[in-house]
Amino acid sequence: DATWSAQAVSQNLPSTLESGQSANVSIVYKNTGNITWYPDGNSPVRMGIYSNDAGAFNDGSWLSAGRPAPVSSAVDPGQNATFNFTIKAPASGGVYTTDFRPVADNRAWMGVATSKAISVANSNGTYSWQIVSQQYAGGDAILVPGETDTLTVRARNTGTATWRNDGAYPLKLANTSPQNRTSTFYYNTWNSPSRPALLQETSVTPGNIGTFVFTIQASQKGIFQERMSLVAENRAWLNDPGMYFYLDVR
């Protein structure tokens, strides 16, 4: 008798995406039945969606709303089939459990669904913040040339977009007055001479607090006001609340 069956081998579904962000996906299943799989014909083998959440990731290039991709060529029993397709995160943030499962159309679903929880951050909202606290690890703002100190900024997300420290719009502490200014207090652990720190938390939802920790190194004597704000890279500068670190280099 004809047997349609499959075994999951591997997948590269992402754990996190920004709303609207796309990702190329490959899911591999082994043909454990006794029937060769074909991409067309009376019983074409395709990757199917096995949950409503999975359907929310249709980027418009799928074969249909419930069929992301076919096998690319004939797959004999014992061989692996790779299903390649693109997913696009929905506009609404949240955690979506995506279940993808191969199916021989007009015949049977095969194997166990590939299930992955994907956290979608809402990056389409507004970006704003307010200072919660700022701290000098050394206890004061007095330094001598060559000396280092570690500074900490805690910031509350007062917008509607979720902050992230990765993805398309990573949130960073950045120099201002003017924006993108190269700082004389640059230290080699910074993201760049104008970006002292990346958000420490993986994500910060609206109303919650994010943390930025960075090291400075004094290079010349003088009184300085190191002005900074936040930026969602590739998206927008946040409001400037006038935050600065007073530094006295003697």
Side-chain angles (χ1 to χ4, degrees):
D1 293 338
T3 302
W4 298 89
S5 63
Q7 181 179 17
V9 175
S10 65
Q11 53 86 13
N12 68 344
L13 287 160
S15 298
T16 60
L17 288 172
E18 303 283 347
S19 54
Q21 183 180 1
S22 297
N24 294 322
V25 170
S26 293
I27 300 178
V28 179
Y29 274 84
K30 182 178 181 179
N31 181 350
T32 55
N34 59 12
I35 300 294
T36 298
W37 297 351
Y38 293 99
D40 49 23
N42 293 328
S43 303
V45 173
R46 298 164 174 172
M47 183 56 64
I49 64 168
Y50 210 63
S51 69
N52 290 333
D53 278 2
F57 287 80
N58 186 350
D59 78 326
S61 67
W62 293 7
L63 287 175
S64 66
R67 299 290 185 267
V71 292
S72 58
S73 60
V75 180
D76 292 326
Q79 292 185 332
N80 288 343
T82 302
F83 299 87
N84 297 309
F85 56 98
T86 301
I87 61 173
K88 183 178 180 180
S92 298
V95 177
Y96 296 77
T97 300
T98 58
D99 292 306
F100 294 100
R101 187 180 180 189
V103 58
D105 277 332
N106 307 313
R107 292 288 183 175
W109 288 94
M110 298 184 290
V112 176
T114 293
S115 183
K116 184 68 173 283
I118 301 178
S119 177
V120 176
N122 177 14
S123 59
N124 293 323
T126 59
Y127 285 87
S128 63
W129 72 294
Q130 63 180 202
I131 303 164
V132 175
S133 65
Q134 51 189 118
Q135 181 180 7
Y136 305 83
D140 59 37
I142 301 173
L143 300 168
V144 297
E147 186 179 0
T148 61
D149 196 359
T150 299
L151 310 182
T152 301
V153 175
R154 297 178 72 240
R156 187 178 303 279
N157 181 350
T158 58
T160 60
T162 297
W163 297 350
R164 295 198 60 85
N165 68 0
D166 59 4
Y169 313 118
L171 200 80
K172 298 178 182 179
L173 187 67
N175 297 331
T176 59
S177 298
Q179 291 177 351
N180 301 316
R181 171 181 54 84
T182 297
S183 174
T184 58
F185 289 88
Y186 168 76
Y187 193 65
N188 59 18
T189 55
W190 288 21
N191 272 221
S192 75
S194 65
R195 301 288 190 270
L198 178 69
L199 177 68
Q200 284 202 327
E201 292 82 4
T202 300
S203 64
V204 176
T205 54
N208 289 307
I209 295 172
T211 310
F212 302 85
V213 180
F214 60 102
T215 300
I216 59 169
Q217 184 170 39
S219 61
Q220 60 190 42
K221 295 181 179 180
I223 302 295
F224 301 89
Q225 290 184 354
E226 278 292 293
R227 296 186 177 273
M228 302 173 184
S229 188
L230 300 182
V231 62
E233 294 284 23
N234 308 313
R235 185 61 182 267
W237 280 86
L238 280 64
N239 57 296
D240 188 348
M243 186 193 78
Y244 66 87
F245 280 93
Y246 172 87
L247 298 164
D248 182 358
V249 184
R250 301 178 180 179

